[in-house]
Amino acid sequence: MTEQIDKALAREYEAGFVSAVESETFEPGLDEDVIRRISEVKGEPEWMLEWRLKAFRVWQEMEEPDWAHLSYPKIDLQSVSYYSAPKSMKDKPKSLDEVDPELLRTYEKLGIPLVEQQMLAGIAVDAVFDSVSVVTTFREKLEEAGVIFCPISEAVHKYPDLIKKYIGSVVPTKDNYFAALNCAVFTDGSFVYIPKGTRCPMELSTYFRINEQNTGQFERTLIIADEGSYVSYLEGCTAPQRDENQLHAAVVELVAMDNAEIKYSTVQNWYPGDEEGKGGIYNFVTKRGVCHTNAKISWTQVETGSAVTWKYPSCVLKGDNSVGEFYSVALTRGRQQADTGTKMIHIGKNTKSTIISKGISAGKSNNSYRGLVRMNPGAEGARNFTQCDSLLIGDQCGAHTFPYVESRNPSAIVEHEATTSKVSDDQLFLCRQRGVDPEKAVSMIVNGFCKEVFKELPMEFAVEAGKLLEISLEGSVG
Amino acid sequence: MSEWLQQAIARADSIQDGFEDQRASSLALLKDIQWPTRKTEAWKYTPLRAVERSTAIFKEESPELEPVAVEGLEFLELTFVDGQLVSLPEELPEGLTIEMQESSLFATIKPERHVFGLVNDVLAADVAVVTVAEGVAIEQLLRINNLLSNGAQGHIRVVVDIKAGASLKVVENAEGQGASLTTAYTEYQIGAEANLEHYRFALQAGDNVAIGGSHFKLLEKASLNSSIIGFGSNLQRIDTDIIHAGEKADAKLNAIYLLDGTELFDLHANVEHAVPNCTTEENVRGIAGDSSRAVFNGRIHIHRDAQKTLAELNNRNLLMSNKAEINTKPELEIYADDVRCAHGATIAEIDRKALYYLQTRGVSRSQAQLMLSFGFINELIDQMPTAELAEWVRPIIRDRFAQMEVK
Amino acid sequence: MSNENTLLSIKDLHASVEEKNILKGLNLDIKPGEVHAIMGPNGAGKSTTGYVLSGRDGYEVDSGSVTLDGKDLLEMEVEERACAGLFLAFQYPVEIPGVSNLEFLKVAVDAQRQARGEEALTSAEFLKMAKEACKQVNLPVSFLKRGVNEGFSGGEKKRNEIMQMILLKPKLCILDETDSGLDIDAMQVVANGVNSQRDSERSFIVVTHYQRLLDYIKPDFVHVLADGKIVKSGDASLAKELEEQGYSWLQTEPTEDELED
């Protein structure tokens, strides 16, 4: 049966094409000069450059972390190019008509039409291509509601006060090695501001695409939901199929003010490398949100891509009665490695957090959940519930659980459970006996395993995620 | 490197005896090792200040100390005082031998790179080797006493070899007075179809520093039933490793920790499933009161070949005070698919509904709290196979609760 | 015996499990609309028959032939056999957490309709059918939303099996000890469900250790399976005979292979 499932899992990476776009790309290498040049290309104000340089100096003192259950050769950061942008973007196209059609075609091929007539209704998209934002749709409509949704490089100019106040406020520069690196070299990403009492009229979404060879993508996203506001934000990403590893080190900061709610969903489908582990994206991401009084942040992620994933979307539950949620499906196959999970830091009274993590390991992959739940002394009446389930497909993979639970408040309650299971021969046989082909049966069983997480995704993404898993399990069982 | 470790190494350099080869390699490892800090994963929550600041010395002469009596039980006593073996049982039942000799099992069952395990390798003056001959069942309990006088430093090591089809019951008993420091390691090989009933009591609260481990290797169809009960102290750290090296072996571990004052207790339980068809069941319960700190790390590692493993770990904690803290980390590392593994961990306070229920029946709040906490722990004590030991330890735990209540 | 009018034809079937011979020359012909009971002591090969016919992994056919509607059954994959009209009601139905009954059944019905070249049902049509099927076996409609067999009692699992049978409309149903673990009331519900599906086209193999189920599902033929082959065949009265005499008279020596159950 294992053999059948393996076959089911062998899939094509559909987003693996390269776009023929002429780009301006920095020579590989990292020093202060490169950072100055990035800042210059972006036409940044002096304070932004200073912030970057400060981060760079902090980073130089830091060491690459090695505590994750991952093994990969040391990344040579001097061989990475830190900036690449399509030449056509140099003149900053004013409208879609001026955007290079090849760029638009790229996104269309990925199922993200950017042309107004074809756009998905109800979703505004910021399309980031290598180091620049190509286009942000529905901006006028959002502006009517007072919502700001634009590339972060633009926000630095237009909304310097907001950026100065919040950038690095959730993930400090010195937080970790990769976050510090990102602070120094970040190129683009999305900025969102939802005004007080506003329910964002549409879903916001950023689609990240790496195209150029030997480049890293270092994007930065900052979302501020002011008092009593609500926003649902989606993030997707893909990259071409290449034999070399490429680095992606992003930082995402969320600020949910009193009574605000942010729902952040990710479908991560970076190129995972081939069956033998050749190529693929190294995905080192720091995501964190801070919740003020009565606020709520909900992270949902479906991680199917990347050769290496190192990612712990977290919530700092600072305000009383605030709520943090983390719903995750991580599927690894081939030689993929994922070390992902969350941190829930309970500071305020009656704060609540829920963690549901579903890890699916197949092939020769390794899939780890790593999480921290901390109840600070002031977290009176706080609650956490954590459920980590692993599904192993085949006997060559690994599934691991590393939860840290720390409590310093006697009235706080923490519950953690973890289980492991496999797709059993009996389940498969029952499905087949009822006429369901094995491939469909495996994907149905896996989908059932992930159901609790999928129901948290916005509709459009739930469909995409389900399909992604199905594709992942395609060609399988014969 | 800490000064304490440097002194330990210096002392080791001066010791000569029959274990030279093994000790030499341990010494080499030790000289190379990093002194643990907060960033060392295995010591993340357990600072070693108490060791670094310890004034405990190797005494030339030690007072005579007697281990505590247990009503209804006559033990075969193997007693160490301040690290020196002072008494062996006068008469041993047939099939049981205790010798001070070389054992090929020495330092093969405990983890290779544990800094205090290595210290013990090189500093344990008398290594006792207990052997139970094939097929022999020893009914009488063997008790290994690690007694320390005030201010003394001592390191003890016992190797237990239970041959195929044999059975043995062992109690590891530590009693440290005042500001003593000890490391105490025991390595057990449980042969094919052999079984071991094991207890480790670390009930000496106070200023002492006690670090040690009980490490078990189970061969085919071997069985282990282990109970660990610990109070905290200045620093109390126990490592236990259960290694399933033969198929169809079965291990059960019940552990309890009860902390008060500013005590620190750290239990690291590691289970290695290296072969198929073995089972492990672990129940760990702890209570932390006052300003104490409890640390539990429960790792289950299922190797690639260990199909059909059944392994479960359950860790439940009660936090009794605003100043106390509990840190728990149950870990699963799984490389085989056809296994049933689960772990659960909870930290909570006493069930308020139960508390209320008792109060409505006229029980005072503090009494009700005591009853419920005791019940929480007693569930595991009830499972101890030797009833006399359960009878003996129950009032000690009751007293402990009563003390915790006063504060 | 076999002719164009035969639905299932088993000829000299030998099969083994983990290299142990379980079926040792099984012969059986079933015409459309017939109900055949297979009885016999534990270890005779009763459940194995169902697994071999449905193509379960690990159940190796050593020799012999089986045709369903004239087609070689043994050449088909498990799901192809199901689509060809073979349904096995399991003795111990497995649980599939997270996959709802409804979703599971829809996928199965779709697959089978597709195999027969029929159009897929709309969700509304299907839901209506499924609700009716639930009613027929006294399962609350809410069971459709629960995970497949997840947390069901023994009786509920069995009724769920019959409900699936009603929805999938197979040509040949094999009921594997469907009565085991059921009290009389629960058994009646199951039997009524089965009886409602009897018609001139649909055939049944009722595998059972006890005669009592056959009081409710009246067989046309009763076969006694012992040591891997049919040692005696008769009409419904044979079941009564067995009830009185037990199986011991059949066995020249006790079977050692308690592979089943």
Side-chain angles (χ1 to χ4, degrees), chain A residues 117-134:
Chain A
Q117 302 88 316
Q118 301 166 12
M119 279 186 229
L120 302 166
I123 305 181
V125 180
D126 182 14
V128 177
F129 193 88
D130 289 330
S131 306
V132 288
S133 170
V134 171

Side-chain angles (χ1 to χ4, degrees), chain A residues 138-287:
Chain A
F138 290 114
R139 284 174 68 166
E140 291 76 22
K141 191 173 172 196
L142 290 168
E143 272 161 28
E144 281 168 31
V147 171
I148 302 170
F149 181 40
C150 69
I152 200 160
S153 53
E154 187 182 321
V156 169
H157 295 281
K158 282 195 180 166
Y159 313 102
D161 293 345
L162 284 171
I163 298 289
K164 272 189 207 166
K165 183 168 176 192
Y166 289 108
I167 197 167
S169 71
V170 185
V171 179
T173 303
K174 59 175 187 298
D175 189 82
N176 69 69
Y177 182 79
F178 294 103
L181 175 64
N182 176 287
C183 291
V185 303
F186 79 92
T187 43
D188 224 328
S190 301
F191 173 75
V192 176
Y193 173 80
I194 315 289
K196 274 184 196 172
T198 303
R199 196 180 164 87
C200 184
M202 51 204 320
E203 306 261 359
L204 305 184
S205 149
T206 305
Y207 198 93
F208 296 98
R209 174 73 178 171
I210 296 179
N211 188 62
E212 194 62 25
Q213 204 154 2
N214 298 324
T215 56
Q217 193 174 53
F218 304 90
E219 89 271 3
R220 208 172 167 100
T221 297
L222 173 60
I223 300 178
I224 301 153
D226 214 330
E227 289 173 23
S229 68
Y230 169 86
V231 62
S232 169
Y233 178 92
L234 327 169
E235 173 194 63
C237 41
T238 55
Q241 192 160 336
R242 289 214 176 86
D243 286 351
E244 299 80 31
N245 298 108
Q246 276 178 285
L247 178 63
H248 171 252
V251 170
V252 174
E253 295 179 286
L254 310 184
V255 180
M257 307 296 279
D258 293 358
N259 301 303
E261 180 176 347
I262 301 175
K263 195 170 164 58
Y264 193 108
S265 313
T266 305
V267 173
Q268 187 265 100
N269 188 25
W270 294 118
Y271 178 56
D274 69 7
E275 286 304 309
E276 300 309 313
K278 201 168 190 193
I281 301 291
Y282 288 161
N283 189 34
F284 292 82
V285 175
T286 306
K287 293 183 168 179

Side-chain angles (χ1 to χ4, degrees), chain C residues 28-170:
Chain C
L28 184 63
D29 279 334
I30 297 179
K31 292 194 174 67
E34 290 178 351
V35 175
H36 291 242
I38 294 183
M39 301 182 69
N42 289 333
K46 300 195 300 293
S47 288
T48 299
T49 306
Y51 290 146
V52 169
L53 293 181
S54 61
R56 185 171 202 155
D57 279 352
Y59 289 77
E60 298 295 330
V61 173
D62 302 315
S63 64
S65 70
V66 182
T67 60
L68 182 73
D69 257 350
K71 280 173 277 186
D72 186 348
L73 195 67
L74 302 179
E75 280 299 308
M76 298 184 207
E77 290 294 336
V78 180
E79 61 275 19
E80 290 169 346
R81 298 181 199 204
C83 292
L86 185 134
F87 180 91
L88 174 63
F90 291 89
Q91 188 180 359
Y92 301 110
V94 67
E95 302 189 4
I96 310 180
V99 176
S100 78
N101 241 336
L102 193 66
E103 181 187 352
F104 168 65
L105 288 169
K106 176 82 164 68
V107 169
V109 168
D110 283 353
Q112 298 209 12
R113 290 182 72 95
Q114 197 188 354
R116 292 196 291 265
E118 297 167 12
E119 286 207 3
L121 294 171
T122 65
S123 297
E125 286 168 336
F126 179 74
L127 188 63
K128 193 160 160 256
M129 272 174 58
K131 282 181 174 169
E132 272 162 23
C134 274
K135 221 176 284 169
Q136 265 182 287
V137 294
N138 273 359
L139 273 183
V141 173
S142 62
F143 273 62
L144 289 171
K145 294 206 169 151
R146 289 174 53 179
V148 178
N149 292 318
E150 195 179 357
F152 289 18
S153 72
E156 286 163 354
K157 281 183 183 170
K158 295 295 168 68
R159 279 184 273 158
N160 198 30
E161 293 290 287
I162 302 304
M163 196 258 283
Q164 293 176 25
M165 183 184 93
I166 292 170
L167 274 174
L168 293 170
K169 302 188 173 39

Side-chain angles (χ1 to χ4, degrees), chain B residues 130-147:
Chain B
V130 177
T131 308
V132 186
E134 198 174 321
V136 175
I138 305 296
E139 277 310 312
Q140 204 178 353
L141 280 83
L142 171 72
R143 185 160 73 166
I144 301 164
N145 298 298
N146 180 21
L147 312 181

